[in-house]
């Protein structure tokens, strides 16, 4: 355990007293559904909300006696006058961005090169005119070449552009040998009273006024139910002989990934607008032309050739679906167009402009691969990483790599996101709610998101709006002096929740092609690192590995943090052992939790448990030891924990948020480790002597589980009523 620091006189901060969660939660909820432009530049997983971290940073540096000004500062803007903030797990850069915006100097550390690059471009300034000029140059050159491969004719014969090509995987029946198109259903679009589906026999695209279970194809006469396909839950049924079999077995018999068949498209015509059609001879000939051009040039094209790592893989997909290399996740037309675009970007002379367009290119990969599907309700392609996983699908949708007037995830749209983000950085704003519940945007004074990159701590001290970003493990912060940081504000990895490098490799193998000569951390074949802090039993990274690594990071944070400084971070997990491991790592590295709060998490993509999404983060505010209390009675402490948990739940409901039974667990665990660490990780009980922190967590976890079981037995109610019932159930547990 780290040496205990003398407590001395400290200035209690607003975040150790309260946070205005009644105001923060609605803003966070809205941001979870639509991120700030700066965070839309590129995908990063489980990215924390900017509005929440803005509040945390302000609360960390606002004295408790000025707590009532915190929300006003949030809305109107503030200047923290060069306070130094460290984020040892910077990920998608939320702390770095929000701290710079508030006038801090920042130090960001992450072991993943993709996280480092995304954060770097979020905060680097750029000449917007030069960026636009470079894009126009690409548009007039390589853009015209790419658009040739996405042309068609609308049903009325006009020249038109393809928005999306529709494909379907084909498997061979083990019984009769027939080619089976793996349609999970035959629906294509539902909009404006027009129902669009695909004939299961001839692939004609049929438009009707609504769904019918006995839809008849006007071309071949086939009668079918568009909602009933041949594949689901990993099995398909041969429509010719009726044999039911596993999709994975068909892949194994073939020895490689399944073939795909092009069957339809959605296009855009300047005269007719958007339209669907079955592919015709010209569309198929264009595909063959692109495929032949790829084969002719592939030895010289720029695309990744790395194999998909299999050793220690957490997600067996896409390997067990027959994909052995990253390039196989794209079809030949995509590889040809992406390669031509990448080569053109890398020929641009200005390195900063080149990197911004490379970021847009990388972001476009998320919607330009054969793991994307068409969303029939929303009339657009889904992105690959809508889920935190490699998820092969039976009906891939090929996007237009360059882009049309409509569509999602094209290079044009990703470039426009970069442009919008950098304009936002020059004049950031917050989306707030007025007294009538109406949303509006409010600029925040003279704030700006702009960091001047420096290479060492001395430069950080002497440079305004300085940012020191390091791509390395935070277990070694020897580049920072003792007691040099005013605050540590972060979001550590959540044990086994996400395998960051496994996901990031999809982007890394492409980014590496343009960055390996400029940055040494892009030289390795993959983004993974032996010191990456994740729990992955297949790689030998056990809970102990994670806990010991986290302890080393916290110990380094303890060393570089000023004696009166705070370490603030967010956390949630559905397992008791994870909370116990976290609390013990804190104590052993010299910290206790002085206050905990509950705030809205990132939203729809939050960590999923068997009871639904965990929608709230615990905010854990830590100070250096010694512990405030040395002896504590467990029964009194338990009642205090439950009382604060119930109050926290009440305030969450009052802020207009819905809560579920799983949220009770997060709240109770947060309050238990807060008061457990304050008590020095032990509490006295008359029946058994001393209770350890692990035992406290187990008891409180059992209690939270009982509340959750009770709530599952109650009928469904409104969110507010359900929250009230949960609060009552918590309070009732105190009297037992």
């Amino acid at each position: 355990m780290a040496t205990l620091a003398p407590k001395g006189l400290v200035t209690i901060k607003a975040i150790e007293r309260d946070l205005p969660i009644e105001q923060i939660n609605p803003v966070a909820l809205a941001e979870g559904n639509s991120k700030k432009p700066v965070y839309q530049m590129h995908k990063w997983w489980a990215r924390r909300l900017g509005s929440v971290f803005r509040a945390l940073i302000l609360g960390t540096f606002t004295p408790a006696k000025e707590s009532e000004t915190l929300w006003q500062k949030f809305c109107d803007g503030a200047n923290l006058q060069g306070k130094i903030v460290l984020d040892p797990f910077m990920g998608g850069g939320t702390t770095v961005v929000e701290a710079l915006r508030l006038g801090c100097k920042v130090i960001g550390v992450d072991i993943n090169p993709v996280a480092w690059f995304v954060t770097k471009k979020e905060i680097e300034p750029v000449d917007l005119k030069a960026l636009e000029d470079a894009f126009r140059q690409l548009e007039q050159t390589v853009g015209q070449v790419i658009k040739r491969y996405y042309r068609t004719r609308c049903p009325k014969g006009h020249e038109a552009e393809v928005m999306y090509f529709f494909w379907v995987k084909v498997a061979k029946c083990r019984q009769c040998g027939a080619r089976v198109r793996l349609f999970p259903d035959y629906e294509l679009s539902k909009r404006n009273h027009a129902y669009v589906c695909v004939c299961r026999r001839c692939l004609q695209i049929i438009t009707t006024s609504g769904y019918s279970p006995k839809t008849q194809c006007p071309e071949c006469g086939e009668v079918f139910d568009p909602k009933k396909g041949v594949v689901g839950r990993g099995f398909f049924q041969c429509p010719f002989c009726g044999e039911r079999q596993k999709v994975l077995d068909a892949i194994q018999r073939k020895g490689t990934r399944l073939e795909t068949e092009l069957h339809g498209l959605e296009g855009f015509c300047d005269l007719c607008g958007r339209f669907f059609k079955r592919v015709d001879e010209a569309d198929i000939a264009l595909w063959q032309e692109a495929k032949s051009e790829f084969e002719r040039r592939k030895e010289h094209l720029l695309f990744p050739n790395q194999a998909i790592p299999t050793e220690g893989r957490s997600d067996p997909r896409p390997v067990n679906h027959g994909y052995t290399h990253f390039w196989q996740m794209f079809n030949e037309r995509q590889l040809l167009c992406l390669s031509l675009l990448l080569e053109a970007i890398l020929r641009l002379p200005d390195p900063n402009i080149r990197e911004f367009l490379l970021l847009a290119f990388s972001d476009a990969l998320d919607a330009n691969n054969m793991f994307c599907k068409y969303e029939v309700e929303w009339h657009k392609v889904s992105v690959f990483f809508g889920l935190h996983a490699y998820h092969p699908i039976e009906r891939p949708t090929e996007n237009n790599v360059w882009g049309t007037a409509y569509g999602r995830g094209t290079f044009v749209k990703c470039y426009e996101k970069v442009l919008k983000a950098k304009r936002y950085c020059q004049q950031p704003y917050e989306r707030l709610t007025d007294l009538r519940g109406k949303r509006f945007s409010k600029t925040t004074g003279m704030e700006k998101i702009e960091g001047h990159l420096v290479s060492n701590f001395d430069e950080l001290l002497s440079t305004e709006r300085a940012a020191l970003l390091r791509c390395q493990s935070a277990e070694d912060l020897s580049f920072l002096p003792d007691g040099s940081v005013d605050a540590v504000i972060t979001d550590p990895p959540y044990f086994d929740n996400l395998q960051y490098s496994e996901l990031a490799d999809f982007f890394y193998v492409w980014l590496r092609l343009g960055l390996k000569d400029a940055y040494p951390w892009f030289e390795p074949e993959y983004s993974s690192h032996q010191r990456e802090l994740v729990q992955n039993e297949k790689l030998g990274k056990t809970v102990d590995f994670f806990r010991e690594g986290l302890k080393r990071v916290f110990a380094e944070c303890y060393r570089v943090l000023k004696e009166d400084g705070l370490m603030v971070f967010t956390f949630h997990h559905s397992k008791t052992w994870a909370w116990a491991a976290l609390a013990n790592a804190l104590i052993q590295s010299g910290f206790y939790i002085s206050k905990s709060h509950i705030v809205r998490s990132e939203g729809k993509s939050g960590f999923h448990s068997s009871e639904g999404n965990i929608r709230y983060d615990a905010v854990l505010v830590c100070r250096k030891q010694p512990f405030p209390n040395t002896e504590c009675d467990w029964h009194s402490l338990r009642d205090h924990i439950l009382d604060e948990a119930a109050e926290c739940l009440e305030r969450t409901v009052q802020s207009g948020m819905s809560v579920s039974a799983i949220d009770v667990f997060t709240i109770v665990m947060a309050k238990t480790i807060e008061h457990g660490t304050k008590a020095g990780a032990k509490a006295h009980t008359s029946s058994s002597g001393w209770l350890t922190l692990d035992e406290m967590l187990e008891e409180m976890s059992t209690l939270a589980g009982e509340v959750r079981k009770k709530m599952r037995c109650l009928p469904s109610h409104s969110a507010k009523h359900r929250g009230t019932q949960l609060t009552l159930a918590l309070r009732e547990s105190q009297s037992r």
Side-chain angles (χ1 to χ4, degrees), residues 571-585:
F571 186 79
H572 64 219
H573 204 285
S574 63
K575 302 298 182 184
T576 307
W577 59 259
W579 290 89
L582 174 73
N584 284 305

Side-chain angles (χ1 to χ4, degrees), residues 44 126 646:
W44 191 256
V126 64

Side-chain angles (χ1 to χ4, degrees), residues 50 115 139 211 256 303 380 406 455 546 555 572 576 586 633:
E139 185 177 43
Y211 161 73
T256 184
F303 61 89
K380 61 184 179 182
Y406 296 94
S455 59
F546 186 96
H572 64 219
T576 307
L586 278 172
D633 175 69

Side-chain angles (χ1 to χ4, degrees), residues 151-346:
R151 67 185 191 274
T152 189
R153 288 190 177 273
C154 78
K156 293 185 178 180
H158 305 131
E159 286 283 345
E161 295 177 298
V162 176
M163 294 173 59
Y164 306 114
F165 282 114
F166 301 123
W167 297 77
V168 62
K169 287 184 177 177
V170 180
K172 185 177 180 179
C173 176
R174 68 184 175 193
Q175 184 70 22
C176 68
R179 293 176 74 256
V180 181
R181 297 173 180 136
L182 299 183
F183 282 101
D185 58 63
Y186 299 94
E187 296 179 309
L188 195 53
S189 176
K190 307 172 188 177
R191 86 174 87 190
N192 301 332
H193 307 293
Y195 183 84
V196 184
C197 62
V198 180
C199 175
R200 69 180 182 182
R201 176 188 290 177
C202 71
L203 302 180
Q204 180 62 273
I205 292 181
I206 307 162
T207 302
T208 58
S209 59
Y211 161 73
S212 169
K214 295 183 178 180
T215 297
Q216 184 171 25
C217 175
E219 180 160 313
C220 70
E222 178 79 357
V223 177
F224 66 103
D225 185 346
K227 290 185 179 294
K228 294 183 179 179
V230 301
V231 66
R233 298 183 181 274
F235 287 84
F236 72 95
Q237 186 167 16
C238 177
F240 303 100
C241 69
E243 178 76 3
R244 187 171 184 266
Q245 50 211 288
K246 287 184 177 181
V247 174
L248 288 179
D249 287 346
I251 295 168
Q252 190 173 29
R253 290 194 299 272
K254 190 172 187 297
T256 184
R257 66 195 190 281
L258 297 177
E259 66 174 282
T260 54
E261 180 181 347
L262 178 62
H263 66 86
L265 64 83
E266 182 180 14
F268 175 74
C269 173
D270 288 333
L271 298 174
C272 305
R274 295 173 72 162
F275 62 89
F276 293 97
K277 75 167 191 176
R278 180 176 59 182
V279 291
D280 55 29
E281 289 183 2
D283 299 318
I284 294 172
L286 185 63
W287 159 245
Q288 292 297 338
E289 179 188 338
K291 189 175 180 180
S292 297
E293 183 68 2
F294 171 77
E295 293 296 335
R296 185 180 70 83
R297 301 177 59 177
K298 68 179 180 181
E299 295 301 321
H300 305 288
L301 290 173
L302 197 59
F303 61 89
N305 58 21
Q306 289 99 317
I308 298 170
T310 57
E311 184 180 356
R313 191 165 189 85
S314 171
D315 183 355
R317 303 164 301 177
V319 176
N320 62 2
H321 279 255
Y323 298 84
T324 60
H325 291 72
F326 283 101
W327 63 265
Q328 294 175 336
M329 301 165 77
F330 306 82
N331 71 22
E332 289 89 340
R333 177 163 39 204
Q334 290 172 327
L335 288 170
L336 173 64
C337 294
L338 289 169
S339 176
L340 295 174
L341 178 56
L342 179 57
E343 289 172 353
I345 290 170
L346 297 183

Side-chain angles (χ1 to χ4, degrees), residues 29 173 239 248 267 287 419 443 467 488 506 524 600 692:
L29 178 64
C173 176
L248 288 179
W287 159 245
L419 200 62
T443 55
V488 177
F506 176 80
R600 181 74 191 192
T692 66

Side-chain angles (χ1 to χ4, degrees), residues 137-148:
Q137 178 185 333
L138 293 175
E139 185 177 43
Q140 295 305 314
T141 53
V142 70
Q144 300 305 310
V145 176
I146 293 172
K147 286 196 275 188
R148 283 187 57 252

Side-chain angles (χ1 to χ4, degrees), residues 358-656:
L358 182 59
L359 186 76
F361 169 87
S362 179
D363 187 44
L365 296 171
D366 202 8
N368 285 276
N369 60 79
M370 295 297 278
F371 281 55
C372 299
K373 67 177 181 177
Y374 190 77
E375 300 287 353
V376 299
E377 298 281 357
W378 306 106
H379 320 123
K380 61 184 179 182
V381 71
S382 65
V383 293
F384 184 3
F385 287 116
L387 299 173
H388 298 163
Y390 289 81
H391 182 60
I393 56 174
E394 288 79 22
R395 294 178 65 180
T397 298
E398 179 190 352
N399 202 356
N400 183 319
V401 168
W402 184 263
T404 68
Y406 296 94
R408 177 193 193 190
T410 65
F411 178 70
V412 171
K413 290 297 172 67
C414 293
Y415 159 73
E416 289 172 350
K417 286 198 295 180
V418 170
L419 200 62
K420 182 179 179 181
K422 300 318 288 184
R423 287 173 176 157
Y424 170 83
C425 289
Q426 292 181 352
Q427 193 172 39
Y429 54 82
E430 289 296 325
R431 298 190 188 101
L432 305 172
T433 307
D434 63 21
L435 295 176
R436 295 171 295 178
K438 186 177 180 180
R439 305 290 302 172
F440 68 97
S441 296
K442 185 179 188 299
T443 55
T444 49
M446 300 299 292
E447 293 179 355
K448 184 184 290 188
I449 301 169
E450 185 175 288
H452 302 295
L453 297 182
V454 298
S455 59
N456 57 60
F457 187 74
D458 289 338
E459 282 187 63
L460 186 87
L461 293 178
S462 60
T463 306
E464 290 297 316
R465 292 188 175 275
L468 175 56
L469 304 183
R470 300 289 289 256
C471 186
Q472 64 171 76
S473 169
E475 293 178 63
D476 178 11
L477 300 177
S478 57
F479 63 93
L480 297 178
D482 294 355
S484 57
V485 170
D486 293 296
V488 177
I489 300 176
T490 190
D491 175 56
Y494 295 169
F495 290 86
D496 55 345
N497 282 5
L498 280 172
Q499 304 295 316
Y500 290 96
S501 64
E502 192 172 292
L503 298 170
D505 274 343
F506 176 80
F507 299 109
Y508 175 85
V509 294
W510 286 90
L511 286 171
R512 178 180 176 273
L513 297 171
L515 298 174
K516 59 184 171 63
D517 294 331
Y519 306 110
W521 35 92
F522 275 97
E523 290 176 4
E525 292 287 304
Y526 305 100
S527 70
S528 59
H529 192 286
Q530 62 180 359
R531 293 310 309 169
E532 181 185 14
L533 278 187
V534 293
Q535 184 194 342
N536 185 337
E537 301 287 344
K538 294 179 181 179
L539 288 174
K541 294 186 175 184
T542 61
V543 175
D544 288 340
F545 168 86
F546 186 96
R547 182 176 59 242
E548 290 302 311
L550 192 61
K551 185 172 69 174
R552 282 190 287 271
V553 174
F554 285 160
E556 278 290 82
C557 292
Y558 181 98
R559 180 184 64 79
V560 302
L561 185 63
K562 292 179 179 178
E563 293 304 322
D564 194 26
L566 298 179
M567 181 169 75
V568 181
F569 63 94
T570 51
F571 186 79
H572 64 219
H573 204 285
S574 63
K575 302 298 182 184
T576 307
W577 59 259
W579 290 89
L582 174 73
N584 284 305
L586 278 172
I587 291 168
Q588 292 169 23
S589 54
F591 290 100
Y592 72 91
I593 300 170
S594 67
K595 185 68 175 178
S596 64
H597 306 277
I598 300 296
V599 296
R600 181 74 191 192
S601 189
E602 75 265 30
K604 295 178 182 178
S605 61
F607 176 71
H608 192 77
S609 76
S610 60
E611 296 177 77
N613 282 349
I614 299 177
R615 292 170 294 183
Y616 295 90
D617 277 331
V619 176
L620 304 174
V621 183
C622 307
R623 276 199 179 272
K624 292 185 174 183
Q625 296 170 10
F627 307 111
N629 304 314
T630 55
E631 290 192 17
C632 189
D633 175 69
W634 168 239
H635 298 293
S636 299
L637 186 61
R638 176 182 173 277
D639 286 347
H640 192 55
I641 290 169
L642 289 170
D643 188 54
E644 286 198 8
E647 181 184 352
C648 183
L649 191 55
E650 283 176 346
R651 290 186 63 190
T652 302
V653 174
Q654 289 167 6
S655 70

